[in-house]
Structure formats: structure tokens, C-alpha cells
Amino acid sequence: MPLIKWLRRNLVVIAGLATLAYLILPNVVVMVFSFNKPNGRFNYSWTRFSTDAWKDPCGVADMCGSLSLSLQIALWATIGSTVLGTMIAFALVRYRFRARGAINSLIFLPMAMPEVVMAASLLTLFLNMGAQLGFWTILIAHIMFCLSFVVTAVKARVMSMDPRLEEAARDLYAGPVQTFLRVTLPIASPGIAAGALLAFALSFDDFIITNFNAGSTVTFPMFVWGSAQRGTPVQINVIGTAMFIIAVLVVTGGQFIANRRKNSAKA
């Protein structure tokens, strides 16, 4: 009976921890196999412990080149979609204009539409325009599908903002630019940061839309897919582990800074 009562009290916590473990398990497998040294080309079964792949992560031809390209595209796509998405979010929340409702609905189409449909549509558009498939077509495509996610994140934050704070800044003789930079932007920054991180992750990880609009350009997800046909180098697991660790550190650092600011405000 005491065990049953304890389970009832902690059922939500147990379910949450089990779900978290289920989500993290694939990353743990990738991390473990980054220290493997397979006998053949396929890194699917554990053979023996080795740090060779970590010592030479660029040991596979063209892998670091495709990784660098994916990082560049993800960075520029994040900047472009964050700037445009933030402006769109503020316009949709703060202003009333004709076709506002229709635009508000259309923003969510890329999130609801299957990626293969969007990929084929963008490819048709680029071909009809006579555009050369490559870096720029990938970048434009990534900005387009990341835009919806940024707008959603920033819009939620802007809608929860208290307009009286901006009114107080104007009462204290702050100009429109000062009010935006010192009041509005800092309050909206968590939503903007969340949208930017989401856009970066989606852009770096995308395969379907990129594969349709890349031409002869090879990004890291395309390199991984191509390598899986011939073998899976251990270096792929190394890059995946490094990206996972960096993501965890960024999120943990953001939470730490937010908690410090909250504690300082309370003090």
C-alpha cells in the first residue's frame, strides 16, 4: 500500500522522466557509438572502444565541407527568418489592416503543409524563374519555412506583453526608438531567441526541402543520407554528439541566465 500511494503521488514526475529518457535514448546511442571502432563500413554494432573518430572528425572526405555549408545556411536562414518573423509578429499583433486575418491564417500554412509538397512547390517556382539551384535557393527555401515558426514564437510573446510598460516609458519622455530598444525589445527577446533557436535547428536538420532545391550542393543531412547508402562513418556520430552537447549547453546557459536575472529582480 505505501508503494501504491507513493506511485500515485509521483505519477506525473515518473511519466515525465520516462518520456524524457525515451527522447534522450537515441542521442545516448549516438554518443556511445561515436567511440566505436567498427570492423567494416557500417557503424551499427559495437566492436571496441576507440577515440580515433574524435581525434580526426574531418577524416571523411567532404564531411566537414558539408557541415560548414549547413552551418552557414542555418545561420543566415536564422537571421533572415528572425528579422522578418519578428516584424511580421509585431505587425499582426499591434496593427489593424486589411487582410490581416487572411495573412494570419496563411502564416501557419508552411507548418501544416507536408514538407514534400512545399519542396516540390519551391522547386517549381525556382525552375520557372530560371534560378540556378544551389546555396541561394536552399537559403530562400529555409527562410520561407522557418518564418512561420519564428512568427508563432514571437507573436505569443508579444501578445502577453503589458502595454502599460511602453506607455510608462513614453510618459517618461522616451522616444519611439528608445521605447522600442529599452522596453519593447528586451521584453520580447525571450520569444525572439526561442524563434531563432528553433529556426536554426530546423534549417540545420532539414533534408526533404533541401534535397529538392539543392542541385549539386550537398549539405550535412544530405551527406549523412548519402553515406548511409555506402556505410556510416563514426565521424557522423561525433558531429551528432557535438551538436547535441552544444544544444544542451545553450539551453542550460539560457536557463541559468534567466534564473539569475529573476533572482536579481526579486532581490
Side-chain angles (χ1 to χ4, degrees):
M1 291 298 291
L3 178 61
I4 295 176
K5 290 182 180 179
W6 182 86
L7 288 173
R8 286 179 178 176
R9 285 198 308 268
N10 300 279
L11 184 60
V12 175
V13 176
I14 294 171
L17 292 174
T19 304
L20 184 63
Y22 176 76
L23 293 173
I24 293 179
L25 182 60
N27 297 294
V28 174
V29 173
V30 169
M31 190 179 302
V32 170
F33 275 82
S34 69
F35 294 98
N36 187 28
K37 188 170 185 178
N39 292 325
R41 295 178 300 169
F42 295 96
N43 187 27
Y44 295 154
S45 58
W46 181 264
T47 305
R48 58 187 179 277
F49 180 86
S50 174
T51 58
D52 292 345
W54 283 92
K55 293 176 182 177
D56 188 17
C58 294
V60 181
D62 298 330
M63 191 184 74
C64 283
S66 63
L67 175 64
S68 174
L69 180 63
S70 284
L71 290 173
Q72 291 178 49
I73 292 173
L75 178 62
W76 288 111
T78 299
I79 294 172
S81 61
T82 301
V83 172
L84 292 174
T86 301
M87 291 191 292
I88 293 171
F90 271 96
L92 291 174
V93 174
R94 295 294 180 83
Y95 299 98
R96 300 291 181 268
F97 51 89
R98 188 174 297 176
R100 175 175 172 269
I103 294 173
N104 211 0
S105 301
L106 287 172
I107 285 295
F108 293 95
L109 273 181
M111 299 173 64
M113 187 184 301
E115 281 196 28
V116 67
V117 175
M118 178 181 288
S121 301
L122 286 169
L123 176 61
T124 303
L125 173 65
F126 291 139
L127 292 178
N128 286 332
M129 293 175 60
Q132 182 70 34
L133 298 180
F135 178 89
W136 293 107
T137 55
I138 298 174
L139 179 59
I140 293 170
H142 283 207
I143 291 175
M144 289 189 68
F145 77 78
C146 289
L147 195 60
S148 299
F149 296 91
V150 176
V151 171
T152 302
V154 179
K155 185 181 173 185
R157 181 65 179 178
V158 175
M159 289 178 68
S160 66
M161 290 172 57
D162 189 352
R164 291 175 296 182
L165 296 174
E166 295 168 293
E167 293 171 3
R170 288 192 291 268
D171 288 341
L172 295 172
Y173 303 102
V177 176
Q178 282 183 309
T179 302
F180 179 77
L181 293 178
R182 297 191 177 185
V183 179
T184 307
L185 194 59
I187 297 175
S189 60
I192 297 173
L197 290 173
L198 185 59
F200 184 88
L202 290 169
S203 175
F204 181 82
D205 185 58
D206 181 74
F207 172 77
I208 298 175
I209 294 176
T210 304
N211 191 40
F212 271 75
N213 299 280
S216 59
T217 305
V218 179
T219 61
F220 185 68
M222 294 174 65
F223 175 86
V224 173
W225 179 80
S227 297
Q229 313 304 311
R230 305 181 301 274
T232 50
V234 184
Q235 282 82 356
I236 290 177
N237 297 67
V238 172
I239 299 299
T241 302
M243 295 299 295
F244 174 71
I245 292 173
I246 291 171
V248 170
L249 289 176
V250 169
V251 173
T252 305
Q255 288 292 329
F256 177 74
I257 293 172
N259 290 335
R260 283 196 63 180
R261 287 180 177 177
K262 190 177 294 185
N263 293 332
S264 299
K266 288 181 181 179

